[in-house]
Amino acid sequence: MNETYGPERPAPAGIARRMAAFFYEGMLLFGVVFTGGFVYSAATQQRHALQGQFGLQVFLFCLLGLYFAWFWSHGGQTLAMKAWHLRVLDAQGRPLRPLRAVMRYLLSWLWFLPALLSVYTLGVHGTGPIFGSLAAGVIAYAGLSWLHPRRQFLHDAVCGTELVTQLPRKKP
């Protein structure tokens, strides 16, 4: 990779920084999902965890989509991305438009979809094997980034986006 990076072309983010932001984002999303679940159960008067389970899943899927699409198309950073100095841009180095942000959100489920489909297909039950499958899937998916010239994840390559490192500017 004999490319030059600077203010006009930020350097692609390293895998360690991206994975740190990935796990931090997961912790932050706990609050979003918890609050969303509470609002859904209050609005639908859900009294049992299995009552309205599919509706809750659809609601949370849409809520997470709104969360990510909003932050990615309004500044290019979620809170976790700000903490780890990451920004998502399109292939031309511009901020994402809302439609591309939604497309990136939908394609980002490629992180989990193969593992979840294999667990479902094999009829695996129990949290240990399910989380083990998800962990293996995440590691394999992250490893695929080594096949891309700018080390981007598959969903970024498909939808024409990339994560770049954007360190704060030093004050003179």
Side-chain angles (χ1 to χ4, degrees), residues 12-25 80-81 83-86 111 138-139 142-143 145-146 150-153 163-165:
I15 187 77
R17 182 180 299 265
R18 287 184 286 163
M19 293 309 295
F22 175 85
F23 288 113
Y24 184 39
E25 193 79 67
M81 294 168 75
W84 286 95
H85 307 294
L86 297 173
W111 277 97
V138 165
I139 291 168
S145 68
W146 289 100
R150 284 183 54 91
R151 304 291 187 248
Q152 296 300 310
F153 293 130
L163 280 175
V164 297
T165 301

Side-chain angles (χ1 to χ4, degrees), residues 36-148:
F38 176 75
V39 168
Y40 178 84
S41 65
T44 61
Q45 298 183 3
Q46 181 181 11
R47 302 283 185 243
H48 189 277
L50 297 178
Q51 173 191 4
Q53 185 180 16
F54 181 73
L56 175 62
Q57 291 170 344
V58 170
F59 176 76
L60 292 176
F61 180 81
C62 293
L63 178 66
L64 292 175
L66 182 64
Y67 169 87
F68 283 112
W70 172 263
F71 282 108
W72 290 339
S73 62
H74 291 83
Q77 296 175 298
T78 62
L79 183 59
M81 294 168 75
K82 287 180 184 180
W84 286 95
H85 307 294
L86 297 173
R87 182 174 303 276
V88 64
L89 302 170
D90 70 10
Q92 290 75 36
R94 297 181 307 234
L96 300 189
R97 292 183 176 225
L99 185 60
R100 188 174 301 262
V102 169
M103 187 171 79
R104 184 176 192 266
Y105 168 71
L106 294 173
L107 288 171
S108 71
W109 281 94
L110 289 172
W111 277 97
F112 309 108
L113 200 55
L116 292 174
L117 283 175
S118 67
V119 164
Y120 177 77
T121 303
L122 297 173
V124 175
H125 300 288
T127 56
I130 291 172
F131 280 115
S133 179
L134 284 171
V138 165
I139 291 168
Y141 190 86
L144 286 175
S145 68
W146 289 100
L147 301 176
H148 190 274

Side-chain angles (χ1 to χ4, degrees), residues 1-5 9 149-150:
M1 294 189 350
N2 294 334
E3 300 181 53
T4 57
Y5 305 107
R9 184 159 173 105
R150 284 183 54 91

